[in-house]
Coordinates of all heavy atoms in Angstrom, one line a residue:
G194 N -18.0 -9.3 -30.9 CA -18.1 -9.0 -32.3 C -16.7 -8.7 -32.8 O -15.7 -8.9 -32.2
A195 N -16.6 -8.3 -34.1 CA -15.4 -8.1 -34.8 C -15.6 -7.0 -35.8 O -16.7 -6.6 -36.1 CB -15.0 -9.4 -35.4
M213 N -19.0 -15.2 -25.7 CA -19.1 -15.0 -27.1 C -18.0 -15.8 -27.9 O -18.3 -16.6 -28.8 CB -19.0 -13.5 -27.5 CG -19.3 -13.3 -29.0 SD -21.0 -13.9 -29.5 CE -21.5 -12.5 -30.5
V216 N -19.0 -19.5 -27.8 CA -20.1 -19.7 -28.8 C -19.6 -19.8 -30.2 O -19.9 -20.7 -31.0 CB -21.2 -18.5 -28.6 CG1 -22.1 -18.5 -29.9 CG2 -22.0 -18.7 -27.4
Q217 N -18.7 -18.9 -30.5 CA -18.1 -18.8 -31.9 C -17.4 -20.2 -32.2 O -17.5 -20.7 -33.3 CB -17.1 -17.7 -32.0 CG -17.7 -16.3 -32.0 CD -16.6 -15.2 -31.8 OE1 -16.9 -14.2 -31.2 NE2 -15.4 -15.3 -32.4
Q218 N -16.7 -20.7 -31.2 CA -15.9 -21.9 -31.4 C -16.8 -23.2 -31.4 O -16.5 -24.1 -32.1 CB -14.8 -22.0 -30.4 CG -13.7 -20.9 -30.6 CD -12.4 -21.2 -29.9 OE1 -12.1 -22.2 -29.4 NE2 -11.6 -20.1 -29.8
V219 N -17.9 -23.1 -30.8 CA -18.9 -24.2 -30.9 C -19.5 -24.2 -32.3 O -19.6 -25.2 -33.0 CB -20.0 -24.1 -29.8 CG1 -21.1 -25.1 -30.0 CG2 -19.4 -24.3 -28.4
A220 N -19.8 -23.0 -32.7 CA -20.4 -22.8 -34.1 C -19.5 -23.3 -35.1 O -19.9 -23.9 -36.2 CB -20.8 -21.4 -34.3
A221 N -18.2 -23.1 -34.9 CA -17.1 -23.5 -35.9 C -16.8 -25.0 -35.8 O -16.0 -25.4 -36.6 CB -15.9 -22.6 -35.7
G222 N -17.3 -25.7 -34.8 CA -17.0 -27.1 -34.6 C -15.7 -27.3 -33.9 O -15.2 -28.4 -33.8
F289 N -27.1 -15.8 -32.2 CA -25.9 -16.3 -32.9 C -26.3 -17.4 -33.9 O -25.8 -17.6 -35.0 CB -24.8 -16.8 -32.0 CG -23.5 -16.8 -32.6 CD1 -22.6 -15.7 -32.6 CD2 -23.0 -18.0 -33.3 CE1 -21.4 -15.8 -33.2 CE2 -21.8 -18.0 -33.9 CZ -21.0 -16.9 -33.9
A292 N -27.4 -16.0 -37.0 CA -26.3 -15.4 -37.7 C -25.5 -16.5 -38.5 O -25.1 -16.3 -39.6 CB -25.4 -14.6 -36.8
C293 N -25.3 -17.6 -37.8 CA -24.4 -18.6 -38.4 C -25.3 -19.7 -39.2 O -24.7 -20.5 -39.9 CB -23.5 -19.3 -37.4 SG -24.3 -20.4 -36.3
G294 N -26.6 -19.6 -39.0 CA -27.5 -20.5 -39.8 C -27.5 -21.9 -39.3 O -27.9 -22.8 -40.1
M334 N -23.4 -7.7 -34.2 CA -22.4 -8.3 -33.3 C -22.2 -9.7 -33.7 O -21.1 -10.2 -33.8 CB -22.9 -8.2 -31.8 CG -23.1 -6.8 -31.3 SD -23.7 -6.9 -29.6 CE -24.7 -5.4 -29.5
C335 N -23.3 -10.5 -33.9 CA -23.2 -11.9 -34.2 C -22.7 -12.2 -35.6 O -21.8 -13.0 -35.8 CB -24.6 -12.6 -34.0 SG -25.1 -12.6 -32.2
E336 N -23.2 -11.4 -36.5 CA -22.8 -11.6 -37.9 C -21.3 -11.3 -38.1 O -20.5 -12.0 -38.8 CB -23.6 -10.8 -38.9 CG -25.0 -11.4 -39.0 CD -25.9 -10.6 -40.0 OE1 -25.5 -9.5 -40.5 OE2 -27.0 -11.1 -40.3
D337 N -20.9 -10.2 -37.5 CA -19.4 -9.8 -37.6 C -18.5 -10.8 -36.9 O -17.4 -11.2 -37.4 CB -19.2 -8.4 -37.1 CG -19.9 -7.4 -38.1 OD1 -20.1 -7.7 -39.2 OD2 -20.2 -6.3 -37.6
A338 N -19.0 -11.3 -35.7 CA -18.2 -12.3 -34.9 C -18.1 -13.6 -35.8 O -17.0 -14.2 -35.8 CB -18.9 -12.6 -33.6
W339 N -19.2 -13.9 -36.4 CA -19.2 -15.2 -37.2 C -18.3 -15.1 -38.4 O -17.6 -16.0 -38.8 CB -20.6 -15.6 -37.5 CG -20.7 -16.9 -38.3 CD1 -21.3 -17.0 -39.5 CD2 -20.1 -18.1 -38.0 NE1 -21.2 -18.3 -40.0 CE2 -20.4 -19.0 -39.1 CE3 -19.4 -18.6 -37.0 CZ2 -20.0 -20.4 -39.1 CZ3 -18.9 -19.9 -37.0 CH2 -19.3 -20.8 -38.0
R340 N -18.3 -13.9 -39.1 CA -17.5 -13.7 -40.3 C -16.0 -13.8 -39.9 O -15.3 -14.5 -40.6 CB -17.7 -12.3 -40.9 CG -17.1 -12.0 -42.2 CD -17.4 -10.7 -42.8 NE -18.8 -10.5 -43.0 CZ -19.6 -9.8 -42.3 NH1 -19.1 -9.0 -41.3 NH2 -20.9 -9.7 -42.5
W341 N -15.6 -13.2 -38.8 CA -14.2 -13.3 -38.3 C -13.9 -14.8 -38.0 O -12.9 -15.3 -38.4 CB -14.0 -12.4 -37.1 CG -12.9 -12.9 -36.2 CD1 -13.1 -13.4 -34.9 CD2 -11.5 -12.7 -36.4 NE1 -11.8 -13.7 -34.4 CE2 -10.9 -13.3 -35.3 CE3 -10.7 -12.3 -37.4 CZ2 -9.5 -13.3 -35.2 CZ3 -9.3 -12.3 -37.3 CH2 -8.7 -12.8 -36.2
Q342 N -14.8 -15.4 -37.2 CA -14.5 -16.8 -36.8 C -14.4 -17.8 -38.0 O -13.5 -18.6 -38.1 CB -15.6 -17.3 -35.8 CG -15.5 -18.7 -35.4 CD -14.3 -18.9 -34.4 OE1 -14.2 -18.2 -33.4 NE2 -13.4 -19.8 -34.7
S343 N -15.4 -17.6 -38.9 CA -15.5 -18.6 -40.0 C -14.4 -18.4 -41.0 O -14.0 -19.4 -41.7 CB -16.9 -18.6 -40.6 OG -17.2 -17.3 -41.0
T344 N -13.9 -17.2 -41.2 CA -12.8 -17.0 -42.2 C -11.4 -17.1 -41.6 O -10.4 -17.1 -42.3 CB -13.0 -15.6 -42.9 OG1 -13.1 -14.6 -41.9 CG2 -14.3 -15.6 -43.7
N345 N -11.4 -17.1 -40.2 CA -10.1 -17.2 -39.5 C -10.2 -18.3 -38.5 O -10.1 -18.0 -37.3 CB -9.7 -15.9 -38.9 CG -9.5 -14.7 -39.8 OD1 -8.5 -14.5 -40.4 ND2 -10.6 -14.0 -40.1

Side-chain angles (χ1 to χ4, degrees):
M213 188 61 139
V216 163
Q217 288 167 219
Q218 294 196 12
V219 172
F289 201 91
C293 72
M334 296 179 213
C335 294
E336 287 181 353
D337 292 337
W339 180 234
R340 188 176 303 107
W341 155 252
Q342 177 70 53
S343 53
T344 53
N345 301 270

